[in-house]
Structures are given as structure tokens and as C-alpha cells.
Amino acid sequence: MKKEKILEVAEELFAEKGYEGTSVRDIAQRAEVNIAMISYYFGSKEKLLEALIQYRAGYTSNLLDILKKNPNEDPIHKMEKVIDVYVDRILTHHRFHNIMSRQLSMLSEAHIKEQMMAIKKQNLDIIKKIIEEGQKKKIFRKVDIELTVASIVGTISQVTLSKSFYCRLMNIPEINFDEYSLRIKNRVKKHLKKMILTHLIADMNQSSKSTS
Amino acid sequence: MKKEKILEVAEELFAEKGYEGTSVRDIAQRAEVNIAMISYYFGSKEKLLEALIQYRAGYTSNLLDILKKNPNEDPIHKMEKVIDVYVDRILTHHRFHNIMSRQLSMLSEAHIKEQMMAIKKQNLDIIKKIIEEGQKKKIFRKVDIELTVASIVGTISQVTLSKSFYCRLMNIPEINFDEYSLRIKNRVKKHLKKMILTHLIADMNQSSKSTS
Amino acid sequence: MKKEKILEVAEELFAEKGYEGTSVRDIAQRAEVNIAMISYYFGSKEKLLEALIQYRAGYTSNLLDILKKNPNEDPIHKMEKVIDVYVDRILTHHRFHNIMSRQLSMLSEAHIKEQMMAIKKQNLDIIKKIIEEGQKKKIFRKVDIELTVASIVGTISQVTLSKSFYCRLMNIPEINFDEYSLRIKNRVKKHLKKMILTHLIADMNQSSKSTS
Amino acid sequence: MKKEKILEVAEELFAEKGYEGTSVRDIAQRAEVNIAMISYYFGSKEKLLEALIQYRAGYTSNLLDILKKNPNEDPIHKMEKVIDVYVDRILTHHRFHNIMSRQLSMLSEAHIKEQMMAIKKQNLDIIKKIIEEGQKKKIFRKVDIELTVASIVGTISQVTLSKSFYCRLMNIPEINFDEYSLRIKNRVKKHLKKMILTHLIADMNQSSKSTS
DNA sequence: CATGAATGAGACTTCATTCAT
DNA sequence: TATGAATGAAGTCTCATTCAT
């Protein structure tokens, strides 16, 4: 359907060149539709972005909720599962993640930022709650919860948003995102699980000597 | 000086509204200079961005180099120092970091991206080398170096770029960046040092049980 | 019927916002019909205006003709009757009068202007002929016929077209047109009859001393 | 100067084709300026209209005020002078009068309508006050003041706004406005003075017999 | 008879830049 | 060095209309 085509092309181009850097002409052209269609379908460029958010918003909620509903599983396995799922999601929807990250880092207030923050909060609250649960069960030690969450998301974001940079850092040639994703997905999962769980479980002796 | 005023206003506005979202009129107006001055001084809007990069590029090299030149210090203290310095730097130059992050996440190739990547690489290579050095000295265990670097930078980036989001996650009201910086700077340093060093020096028994 | 609904809504909106200022979308929306219906029924926006003219054109001819066909009545009573009828008509069909006035004052030639002028001429000729008849019968004195006609129509037009203005001039709050009409209808009739008949009948002594 | 040129062309075209019916392209083209100049100078099409109002607003105040400042003159001569001046003004600035009339007859509220009403009120209040003064001095009889004012303005408006119509009514060929103005200016003045002053000073016997 | 989808044209406005001074 | 005026290109959006169903 043409409406979906426009949404997908918009996602592509917003990710490539940014929201402001993309013109509706560009979108119409690549989507092979008349330029007036965008206003016709979505009302305006901004509403197109909103529609894109709605279109992609669901990509996260369903699955993470399922995970959250296994109340008997121990927090360690929950955390591992969350990391697996989260890495998969962001790498799969890297374009949308890209767009969201840029909009969220805008300092100026916009009504659209709210929607994006709501989506992000929904996800990160899940991680937060797993850590809290683990602490309550004395399985996880006391850590800075919000910043631990930031480290998980931040790591995935870095890798996702700066493909060309990490290609260079790893001394591999620039490749397209799918290949890149294939190459690093498991590395990221392994690294994150190792680092975060060590962080959450390590006994106090070791950690105390390294903090100032 | 007027040229500097323009650069500083440009940094402000690019951070607020993005490069494409900022017009040279906006800059000229807030900098209280004639519109024609920007083309006159810098040649074009794009060259203004380049000039801004040059203007801010030095913020990192000086200090990190000093650190690198203490070859006798042990890697643990080096890493702690690097984290301290890096957190300070990014939080201090959050606007520039903001701009760079957005440009780097653009998928399309631009000659300006190169310059930014070079600056970023310069910094991250320092961290990378410290880890390598620690491993060579058998002080650090075997970890995924690039992703450990990504975790450090990613954590700081997250916190820096998504102020409003983390305010909400921490249940504090939205505050200006200076207050925010004051509040979280030490938390970030402490968290990162704890997490990263635990990750780098944890003994194998503990970490092995948590990896899949 | 839908066709009539469209015509009535069109009249409303053309009066409110002008012909050019009204879009067929506006009309379709308020008339609760599909946009395509307007082109479908009337062919084009311009033809819709023409259709509106046809639809409303009859509002004047019928009744004034009746009046004209009482050849025995004396011109004074005819004039009074004409004023009564004319005031009633214009105030009742104020929206259509509004549209016509605006179109007629367009300087550029349009084929639609012709139709409107024909309608207007039809009415004013009646008034003109009554004055001529009165003069021929030596009941009316010599006056500038066309301008006397202009004064009659001009007075009614003023009051009709500038409701908000005359509300203000009379120090009454802005009211809807029906209330306004109720309030001034008789005043206008009385004023016009008094002024016009004095003008037509006054003896020369009085009028001569006031002309330059 | 180009700014004035634009204003004059805008007046021409707004009078010819209406505000909504005129595109900024039309104006730019006829004024022989770049299309962007209109936004550059005036900000927007609407602000151009406002600027036009400001530009032409003064055409009335100066002279009528002078007239008002002869407190010793008798109301009859004042009224004659006002009619002379007013006819001159409207015929001279017929294009602006045209634009104002159309905007004022818009039913929908607009911030620009306010400005126009203020200008119109300023003029009509002068006439109103002369009548009131004449009545106070027992020179004018009791008449409907507001509607007398409406008759004066309405007569001039009719003649000004419907040139082609009155050409036809008078059986003369359509001529340009300057010729038309020449032909009818004195007729209008004479007619109005005669009619209005008869109306204002006629003795009661005559007027009473003609009012219902 | 009726309509939702689609379209090309053109609306207004803002853009970064240049030019003459 | 500095600037106000000016510009062509491009921006987003709305317009009246048509077409396939």
C-alpha cells in the first residue's frame, strides 16, 4: 500500500539525512508517489513523523511484556533475556532508533519529543524493574540503577548509531548495516551480558578497590 | 570578537535545533550580527560547521595526551583518570558532543563526517590503548575491547544527550543542563569506574557463571 | 436535497469569506458531502457560483414585478412600497447581496459579472421608472434620477454589508444578523421613505438654498 | 522606491481581483520585483495588506480634521464641505475604498477588519457630529442620524464601487475610472448636498406627509 | 448516482547566498 | 571590513479537479 511505502521511505530518509534534512520532495520521489500525497495522507511533514512513530512504536512493547510476565524466572536470566531481546530490536529497527535518538537529543521542547520519551521510558522501566527485583531478592548488589540502565542502552546505541566509526575502530572495511548487524550482534549480546551481570553480581571486595 | 560570537551561537543553536533545523538567520539574529556576515566570514553554512569543529576540536587532545604521557602509572589508575576526564569533557562540551553525535549518526556520507570521526577516534584510541596495555600487563582480563570502549562512551552519551529523559527516569523535575551536570557528574564517574573496572579485573569464576 | 444543501452552504461561506477565500473543501465539509460532489454536480467552482446566482436570482423579480403592474397607484405610494419591499429583500437575502456586491465591485471583467449586473439592473430600473413616472406626472420634482436610485440602494447596502460597523456606530453590542435585521429594518424603511420622498417632493425654495 | 511600487501595485490588484484573488506572484510580476521581495519587505501577504492600510490610512484624517476645526462655521456649510471633501476622497482613492469595502463586508472576524473599521469610524463620526451640532443649534431637524450618515456614505460607495453598472444605468459606454470620476464627481456632490440638506432642514409639514 | 484516491498546478514563505556600496 | 538590498531555488502545503470503481 502506498501509505506504508511512504512511511518506510520516510524512515529510510529521516535516518539517512535527518528529519529536517529530508524534504517531502525527496520522500515522494523515492516512494514514487505524487508530492501532494504526503499532505493528503498525513496532513503535514510533522504529522508524517508522528505517524511513523505510531507505526513503529509497537515494535517493542509486545515482546518485552511477555518477558516481564514470567514472574518466577530469576532476575539473572531475565536480564540476559532482556539484553538479547533489546539488542535484537534496536539492531533490527536501527533506522527508527536512529531517528528517535536524534529527536530526543534536541534540546528544544517539541510535542513529538514527548511521544518518543514515553516509548523509551516504557522500555527502560522494564530493565529498571528487573534490577530492582534482583536487588530485593539479594541476587544483585547495590548499584546505580539508572546509570546501569544507561550503560545497557548506551552501549547498544553507540554500536548502532556509529557503524562507520566502529568499523574503523575494529579495522574492518565499511559494510552495509545488515552485514554489520550480523557481525556484531552476538558480540554485543555477549559483552553486555558479561559486563552488566558482573557489575550486578560481583562481590564487594573486588569492586571496592577500584572505586575512588 | 564577532567571529567567536557567531561560532558560539552556532553551537548553541545547532545543539538546540540541529544543523538543518537552524537557519543562518537564526544564528545572525542571536549573535547580533548581519546575516551576510556568516557567508562573509565562513563562506557558507557548511563551512561554518567545519569551523566550529576546528574551534572545538582541541578541547580533547590537550588533556588526554598529558594523561597518556605518564607511562609509569598503572592501567587501573589511568583508566580511572580517563573516565574522570572524559566525563568532565563531554558534560562540559555537551552542546558540541550533541552536534557531533547527530552528525555521526547520519547514514549518508559527508566530508564533514570524516573530520568528526577523526576527532572521536583520537579519543577512543586512547581508551583502547589503556585497555590493551592493561591486558599486556596481565592486570586486565580478556574482554571485548571495542565494546568496552563503546560502553564507556555510550554511557556518558546517553546521560548527556537525554537529559530530559533521565530526569524523568530518576523522578526529578526537568532542570537546566548546568544543574543536571552538577547532580550527575560524580554519579556517572563513580558508576563507570565501578562497572568498567569490575568488568576489566573481575576473576573468571564470577564472570563465567553469568555468561551464556 | 444535496444539491440545494451545497448551494446554501456555498452562499453562507461565500458571504463569510468571499468566493476566492472559500475552498470547495470548506463547502463540501460543511455541507457534509463528498468533495468530488461539487465538481460532479456543478462542474466547477465557478459554475457553482453561477448556479447560486440562478438559484437566488428569482428572489427579486417576482415581487417587484407585481408592484410594477399596479399602473394606477400614485408614484409616492409606489415608491414607498418599493422601498419596503427592497429593504425586506436585501435584509432577508443579505448573504446573497453580500456576494453580489463584492463580485460587482471587482474591476476585472468576468463573464459572471454580467449576470449579476443584469439582475441588479432589473431591480434598479424599476425604481428609476417610478421616479420618471412621478416626474412626468409633475408629482416629483427634477432630481438626479440615477443618483437618487444610488442613494436608495446605497443606504440599504451600507446597513446590510457593514453590520458590525453600524452596531459600533450606534453603540450597541455586536449581534447576529437576524437580531440586527429586526432592530433596523423599520428604521431603514422609515428613514429612506422620509429622506427620499422629501427629496422628490420638496419645493424649490428649500432645496435651492442648500445647493452650491 | 520598490517598497512603494509594491504597495501601489498591490492596491491596484487587490481592487481588481480581490485580496484572495490576487497572488503574490501577480503582484511581484506587475511591480517588476522578485517574488521573494514581498515577504522580504512586508513579511507576508497579510502584512502587506496591513501595510497598505497604514500607507493609505492618512488620506482622510488630515483634511477632515481641518474642517472640523472651524468651530464657528454653521453646520450647513460644514456639511457641504464635508460632502465635497468626502466625495473627492473616495473617488480619488477609489481602489483603496474598494478594498476596504470588501474586507469590511466579510462576515468572519479578522484582526485586519478592526483596523479598517477604526478608519471608517473616524470619518463617519465627523459627519455624525456635524449633524448633532446642527440639531443642537436647531438648524437641523430631528432625523435618524446613523442612517443619514449611511445614506451619504452609501451613495458615494454605490457610485464608486459599481462604475460599470452606473455607466450602463446612465446609458453611457464603459469608460476608465478617471473619466468616470470627472463625469460624475460634481453630479454626486450636487445630488448629495441637495438631498441630504433638504432632508436635514425640510420643515415638518412636508416630511410628515411622506412618511408612513 | 456517488465516492475515495490521486494528481498537477500553483499558493505562500523561507532558505542560503551574492552584490553593490 | 561590513552591510542592507536583493535574488533564485527550494521549502511545505492547499487548491480544484479527475478518474476508476
Side-chain angles (χ1 to χ4, degrees):
Chain A
M1 199 203 176
K2 287 208 170 174
K3 210 168 169 179
E4 280 192 18
K5 183 74 188 281
I6 292 171
L7 283 168
E8 260 142 38
V9 166
E11 188 183 47
E12 249 177 65
L13 285 171
F14 289 165
E16 263 179 47
K17 319 200 284 176
Y19 171 73
E20 304 274 1
T22 303
S23 75
V24 295
R25 252 187 198 76
D26 295 339
I27 298 170
Q29 203 166 319
R30 197 182 288 187
E32 290 170 308
V33 300
N34 186 285
I35 195 181
M37 295 285 352
I38 278 138
S39 291
Y40 176 70
Y41 274 138
F42 301 97
S44 71
K45 190 187 173 187
E46 199 183 1
K47 293 223 188 89
L48 167 60
L49 177 56
E50 281 189 67
L52 178 57
I53 295 169
Q54 299 305 325
Y55 182 62
R56 288 289 187 230
Y59 87 85
T60 181
S61 47
N62 310 342
L63 291 181
L64 284 188
D65 278 49
I66 292 165
L67 178 116
K68 204 180 136 196
K69 279 163 193 161
N70 282 17
N72 303 328
E73 229 175 342
D74 79 293
I76 292 176
H77 285 107
K78 271 190 188 165
M79 180 59 76
E80 287 180 332
K81 204 178 270 180
V82 158
I83 288 171
D84 281 338
V85 170
Y86 213 68
V87 170
D88 281 340
R89 291 305 165 80
I90 293 187
L91 284 174
T92 304
H93 297 90
H94 64 102
R95 287 193 200 84
F96 185 63
H97 181 74
N98 205 322
I99 296 166
M100 288 236 321
S101 298
R102 265 200 294 264
Q103 292 297 326
L104 281 176
S105 70
M106 295 287 184
L107 301 185
S108 50
E109 285 310 316
H111 123 84
I112 231 163
K113 217 178 137 179
E114 279 302 315
Q115 298 180 38
M116 295 188 160
M117 278 176 57
I119 293 172
K120 188 170 181 179
K121 186 142 196 306
Q122 189 181 342
N123 294 329
L124 298 211
D125 272 339
I126 292 165
I127 304 180
K128 197 178 164 186
K129 289 212 177 104
I130 294 172
I131 298 177
E132 286 169 345
E133 187 200 341
Q135 289 181 329
K136 204 168 284 172
K137 293 186 178 171
K138 308 282 184 195
I139 296 167
F140 295 163
R141 63 173 174 151
K142 196 162 167 288
V143 296
D144 192 319
I145 297 180
E146 285 88 7
L147 293 182
T148 303
V149 170
S151 289
I152 296 171
V153 186
T155 304
I156 309 177
S157 265
Q158 270 295 306
V159 169
T160 308
L161 298 180
S162 303
K163 173 180 66 104
S164 16
F165 180 77
Y166 282 96
C167 280
R168 197 166 303 185
L169 196 68
M170 297 187 264
N171 291 313
I172 62 173
E174 177 115 37
I175 50 187
N176 71 38
F177 202 90
D178 288 341
E179 289 184 57
Y180 179 68
S181 184
L182 238 94
R183 249 184 203 260
I184 62 158
K185 188 179 276 185
N186 286 327
R187 269 181 73 183
V188 175
K189 287 178 184 174
K190 192 174 161 190
H191 162 75
L192 261 186
K193 285 187 267 187
K194 182 171 163 182
M195 182 182 78
I196 292 300
L197 288 171
T198 308
H199 177 56
L200 288 170
I201 301 172
D203 72 53
M204 301 310 151
N205 297 334
Q206 286 189 319
S207 61
S208 65
K209 78 178 175 195
S210 61
T211 50
S212 61
Chain B
M1 199 207 177
K2 283 199 174 177
K3 218 167 163 178
E4 280 191 17
K5 183 74 190 277
I6 292 171
L7 284 168
E8 260 142 38
V9 165
E11 188 184 45
E12 250 177 64
L13 286 171
F14 288 165
E16 262 179 49
K17 318 200 285 177
Y19 170 74
E20 303 277 1
T22 303
S23 76
V24 294
R25 254 179 196 73
D26 294 338
I27 299 170
Q29 199 171 324
R30 198 184 285 189
E32 291 169 310
V33 300
N34 187 283
I35 315 172
M37 294 288 342
I38 279 144
S39 292
Y40 178 70
Y41 271 140
F42 300 97
S44 73
K45 190 186 174 188
E46 199 182 2
K47 293 221 188 90
L48 167 60
L49 178 55
E50 283 188 67
L52 177 58
I53 295 168
Q54 298 306 325
Y55 183 63
R56 287 291 187 226
Y59 88 86
T60 182
S61 48
N62 309 341
L63 291 181
L64 283 188
D65 279 48
I66 292 165
L67 178 117
K68 204 179 137 194
K69 280 162 193 162
N70 281 16
N72 302 327
E73 235 176 334
D74 79 294
I76 292 176
H77 285 108
K78 270 190 187 167
M79 180 58 75
E80 287 179 334
K81 204 177 272 177
V82 159
I83 287 172
D84 282 336
V85 171
Y86 213 67
V87 169
D88 282 339
R89 290 305 165 78
I90 292 187
L91 283 174
T92 304
H93 297 91
H94 64 102
R95 287 193 201 83
F96 185 63
H97 181 74
N98 205 322
I99 296 166
M100 287 237 318
S101 298
R102 266 199 295 262
Q103 293 298 326
L104 281 176
S105 70
M106 295 287 185
L107 301 185
S108 50
E109 286 309 317
H111 118 88
I112 229 160
K113 218 177 137 180
E114 279 302 315
Q115 297 179 39
M116 295 188 160
M117 280 176 55
I119 292 172
K120 188 170 182 180
K121 186 140 197 304
Q122 189 182 344
N123 294 329
L124 298 210
D125 272 340
I126 291 164
I127 305 179
K128 196 177 166 187
K129 288 205 178 114
I130 294 172
I131 298 176
E132 287 169 345
E133 187 200 341
Q135 289 181 330
K136 204 168 285 174
K137 292 186 178 172
K138 309 284 184 194
I139 296 166
F140 293 163
R141 63 173 172 150
K142 196 162 167 289
V143 296
D144 191 318
I145 299 180
E146 285 87 7
L147 292 182
T148 303
V149 170
S151 289
I152 297 171
V153 187
T155 304
I156 309 176
S157 265
Q158 270 293 307
V159 169
T160 307
L161 298 181
S162 304
K163 173 178 68 100
S164 12
F165 181 77
Y166 282 96
C167 281
R168 196 166 301 187
L169 196 67
M170 296 187 264
N171 291 314
I172 63 173
E174 178 116 35
I175 50 188
N176 71 39
F177 202 90
D178 288 341
E179 289 184 57
Y180 179 68
S181 184
L182 241 102
R183 251 183 201 259
I184 61 158
K185 188 180 279 188
N186 286 326
R187 268 181 74 184
V188 175
K189 286 178 184 174
K190 195 174 159 192
H191 162 74
L192 262 186
K193 285 188 266 186
K194 183 171 161 181
M195 183 182 77
I196 294 298
L197 287 171
T198 309
H199 177 56
L200 287 171
I201 63 188
D203 72 51
M204 301 312 150
N205 297 335
Q206 287 189 321
S207 62
S208 65
K209 80 178 173 196
S210 61
T211 49
S212 61
Chain C
M1 198 208 176
K2 284 201 174 178
K3 216 166 165 178
E4 280 192 17
K5 183 74 189 278
I6 292 172
L7 284 168
E8 260 143 39
V9 165
E11 187 184 45
E12 250 177 64
L13 286 171
F14 289 165
E16 263 179 47
K17 318 201 285 178
Y19 171 74
E20 303 277 1
T22 303
S23 75
V24 294
R25 255 179 195 72
D26 294 338
I27 299 170
Q29 199 170 324
R30 198 183 287 188
E32 291 168 308
V33 300
N34 186 282
I35 316 172
M37 294 287 344
I38 280 143
S39 290
Y40 179 69
Y41 271 140
F42 301 96
S44 73
K45 191 186 173 186
E46 199 182 2
K47 293 221 187 90
L48 166 61
L49 177 56
E50 283 188 67
L52 177 58
I53 295 168
Q54 298 307 325
Y55 182 63
R56 286 291 188 227
Y59 87 86
T60 182
S61 48
N62 310 341
L63 290 181
L64 283 188
D65 279 46
I66 292 164
L67 177 118
K68 204 178 136 195
K69 281 162 192 163
N70 281 17
N72 302 329
E73 232 175 338
D74 79 292
I76 290 176
H77 285 107
K78 272 191 187 165
M79 180 59 77
E80 287 179 333
K81 204 176 276 179
V82 158
I83 287 171
D84 282 337
V85 171
Y86 212 69
V87 169
D88 282 339
R89 289 307 163 79
I90 292 186
L91 283 173
T92 304
H93 297 90
H94 64 102
R95 287 193 200 83
F96 185 63
H97 181 73
N98 205 322
I99 296 166
M100 289 238 318
S101 298
R102 265 201 295 265
Q103 293 298 324
L104 281 175
S105 70
M106 297 284 184
L107 301 185
S108 50
E109 286 309 317
H111 118 86
I112 230 161
K113 218 176 136 179
E114 280 302 315
Q115 298 180 38
M116 295 189 160
M117 280 176 54
I119 293 172
K120 188 170 181 178
K121 188 142 194 306
Q122 187 181 345
N123 293 329
L124 298 211
D125 272 340
I126 292 163
I127 304 180
K128 197 177 164 187
K129 292 216 174 99
I130 294 172
I131 298 176
E132 286 170 345
E133 185 200 343
Q135 288 182 331
K136 203 167 285 173
K137 293 185 178 173
K138 307 284 183 195
I139 295 166
F140 295 163
R141 63 171 174 153
K142 196 163 168 288
V143 296
D144 191 319
I145 298 180
E146 285 86 7
L147 292 181
T148 303
V149 171
S151 289
I152 296 170
V153 187
T155 303
I156 309 176
S157 265
Q158 270 293 306
V159 168
T160 308
L161 298 181
S162 303
K163 172 177 68 100
S164 15
F165 180 78
Y166 282 95
C167 280
R168 196 167 301 186
L169 196 67
M170 297 187 262
N171 292 313
I172 61 172
E174 178 115 37
I175 49 187
N176 70 39
F177 202 89
D178 288 340
E179 289 184 58
Y180 179 69
S181 184
L182 239 96
R183 250 184 202 260
I184 62 158
K185 188 179 279 185
N186 286 326
R187 268 181 74 183
V188 175
K189 287 177 183 173
K190 194 174 159 190
H191 161 75
L192 261 187
K193 285 188 265 185
K194 183 171 163 181
M195 182 183 78
I196 292 299
L197 288 172
T198 309
H199 177 57
L200 288 171
I201 301 172
D203 71 49
M204 299 313 151
N205 297 333
Q206 286 188 322
S207 62
S208 64
K209 78 179 174 196
S210 62
T211 50
S212 61
Chain D
M1 199 202 176
K2 288 208 168 173
K3 210 168 169 178
E4 282 192 16
K5 183 74 187 283
I6 292 172
L7 283 169
E8 261 142 37
V9 166
E11 189 185 45
E12 251 176 62
L13 285 171
F14 289 165
E16 263 179 48
K17 319 200 284 176
Y19 171 74
E20 304 275 2
T22 303
S23 76
V24 295
R25 251 187 199 77
D26 294 339
I27 299 170
Q29 203 166 320
R30 196 184 288 189
E32 291 170 308
V33 300
N34 185 284
I35 194 181
M37 295 286 351
I38 278 138
S39 290
Y40 176 70
Y41 273 137
F42 301 97
S44 71
K45 190 187 174 187
E46 198 182 4
K47 293 222 188 90
L48 167 60
L49 177 56
E50 281 189 67
L52 178 57
I53 295 168
Q54 299 304 325
Y55 182 62
R56 288 290 187 228
Y59 87 86
T60 181
S61 48
N62 310 341
L63 291 181
L64 283 188
D65 279 51
I66 291 165
L67 177 118
K68 204 179 138 194
K69 279 161 192 164
N70 281 17
N72 302 328
E73 233 176 335
D74 77 294
I76 292 176
H77 285 108
K78 271 190 188 165
M79 180 58 76
E80 289 179 330
K81 206 178 271 179
V82 159
I83 288 171
D84 282 337
V85 171
Y86 213 68
V87 170
D88 281 340
R89 290 306 166 77
I90 292 186
L91 284 173
T92 304
H93 297 90
H94 63 103
R95 287 193 200 83
F96 184 63
H97 181 75
N98 204 321
I99 296 167
M100 288 237 318
S101 299
R102 265 199 296 263
Q103 293 297 325
L104 280 175
S105 70
M106 296 286 185
L107 301 185
S108 48
E109 285 308 316
H111 124 85
I112 231 161
K113 216 177 139 180
E114 278 303 313
Q115 298 180 37
M116 295 188 161
M117 280 176 57
I119 293 173
K120 187 170 181 178
K121 186 140 196 308
Q122 188 181 342
N123 294 329
L124 298 211
D125 272 339
I126 292 164
I127 304 180
K128 197 177 165 187
K129 289 207 177 109
I130 294 172
I131 299 176
E132 286 169 343
E133 187 201 342
Q135 289 182 331
K136 204 168 283 173
K137 293 186 177 172
K138 309 282 184 196
I139 295 167
F140 294 163
R141 63 173 174 148
K142 196 162 167 287
V143 297
D144 192 318
I145 298 180
E146 285 86 6
L147 293 181
T148 303
V149 171
S151 290
I152 296 172
V153 187
T155 304
I156 310 177
S157 265
Q158 270 295 306
V159 168
T160 307
L161 299 181
S162 304
K163 174 179 67 104
S164 15
F165 181 78
Y166 282 96
C167 279
R168 195 166 302 186
L169 196 67
M170 296 186 267
N171 291 313
I172 61 173
E174 178 115 36
I175 50 188
N176 70 38
F177 202 90
D178 287 340
E179 287 184 59
Y180 179 68
S181 183
L182 239 100
R183 250 183 203 260
I184 62 157
K185 186 179 278 186
N186 285 327
R187 270 181 73 183
V188 175
K189 287 178 184 173
K190 195 173 158 191
H191 162 74
L192 262 186
K193 284 188 268 187
K194 185 170 160 182
M195 181 181 78
I196 293 299
L197 287 171
T198 308
H199 176 57
L200 288 171
I201 63 186
D203 72 53
M204 300 312 152
N205 297 334
Q206 287 188 321
S207 60
S208 64
K209 78 178 175 198
S210 61
T211 49
S212 62

